[in-house]
Amino acid sequence: PTLEEASNLPRLLRQLESQEAMALETIVADGGSNDETQEIARRHGAILVESPPNRGRQMNRGAAVASAPWLLFLHADSGLGSPEQLAEAVKVLDSTSKARPDSRVAGHFRLRFERSQPGNAIAYRYYEAKSALNRPECTNGDQGFLMSKAFFDELGGFDESLWFLEDQRLAETIRRRGAWITLPGELATSA
């Protein structure tokens, strides 16, 4: 999902383009940006989906046009750790899904905060450590959500009635109806 993300989006799109051993279908679901966000998405070959602003609605609209069997929801200020990260993540999630009788599993990455100002180091380390847990109320959209399209569709997608916390609501629905795993690697996110 994007809204006025011209300063963040190019880095993420370049990192997605550099992913190895993985064919990606990149979808940018824009909520009406007035900056260069949409042009940047087109320039990088992403499928552009336009939507009224609402992160849950935007992600649902993006998922609706996806043709791949796996969905990965990333915020525009996310940063991948390596060119093999997504291939490794899908491999782990696929094998975990096959080991479960219901295949209801989703994965998230642990976080690493990118900070431009000093201070609060202990708090940031605490939240980084907490992001690797699979406990209630510890999973949110900054960590990336990776799951099968079938599981996402079964869950009914993101709650579009919420302007924020739609990610936490879906995370807890996943926890009740399936399972979470922490994927290999980490995502950088803006503090």
Side-chain angles (χ1 to χ4, degrees), residues 89 92-93 96 105-109 134 179-183:
V92 168
L93 188 63
T96 304
V105 64
H108 64 82
F109 297 97
N134 289 308
W180 276 108
I181 63 168
T182 303
L183 299 167

Side-chain angles (χ1 to χ4, degrees), residues 35-188:
D35 64 2
E36 297 296 314
T37 297
Q38 293 184 6
E39 178 55 35
I40 291 166
R42 286 186 196 100
R43 198 168 45 238
H44 283 269
I47 297 166
L48 180 65
V49 175
E50 296 182 59
S51 165
N54 173 297
R55 197 167 57 187
R57 180 179 300 122
Q58 290 169 234
M59 289 187 287
N60 287 341
R61 296 237 173 119
V65 302
S67 62
W70 298 102
L71 300 174
L72 172 62
F73 297 94
L74 291 174
H75 292 177
D77 66 345
S78 296
L80 299 169
S82 75
E84 304 85 23
Q85 184 170 355
L86 297 185
E88 292 171 5
V90 169
K91 181 179 176 184
V92 168
L93 188 63
D94 185 42
S95 65
T96 304
S97 292
K98 289 176 179 172
R100 289 181 54 94
D102 60 10
S103 298
R104 291 182 182 132
V105 64
H108 64 82
F109 297 97
R110 68 182 182 275
L111 288 178
R112 179 179 50 80
F113 288 100
E114 294 180 325
R115 301 168 45 209
S116 58
Q117 298 178 358
N120 300 315
I122 292 172
Y124 282 109
R125 282 197 302 269
Y126 168 78
Y127 287 116
E128 287 171 346
K130 184 179 174 184
S131 73
L133 303 176
N134 289 308
R135 299 179 62 191
E137 309 299 328
C138 289
T139 309
N140 64 64
D142 286 328
Q143 297 170 256
F145 287 3
L146 177 63
M147 68 193 84
S148 71
K149 188 169 185 352
F151 187 31
F152 179 77
D153 291 342
E154 179 185 326
L155 294 167
F158 289 93
D159 185 341
E160 295 181 15
S161 71
L162 300 174
W163 279 94
F164 62 99
L165 301 179
E166 79 294 331
D167 53 349
Q168 291 182 5
R169 178 160 295 169
L170 183 62
E172 294 312 308
T173 302
I174 290 167
R175 191 174 319 288
R176 285 191 308 275
R177 295 179 58 187
W180 276 108
I181 63 168
T182 303
L183 299 167
E186 64 183 17
L187 281 183

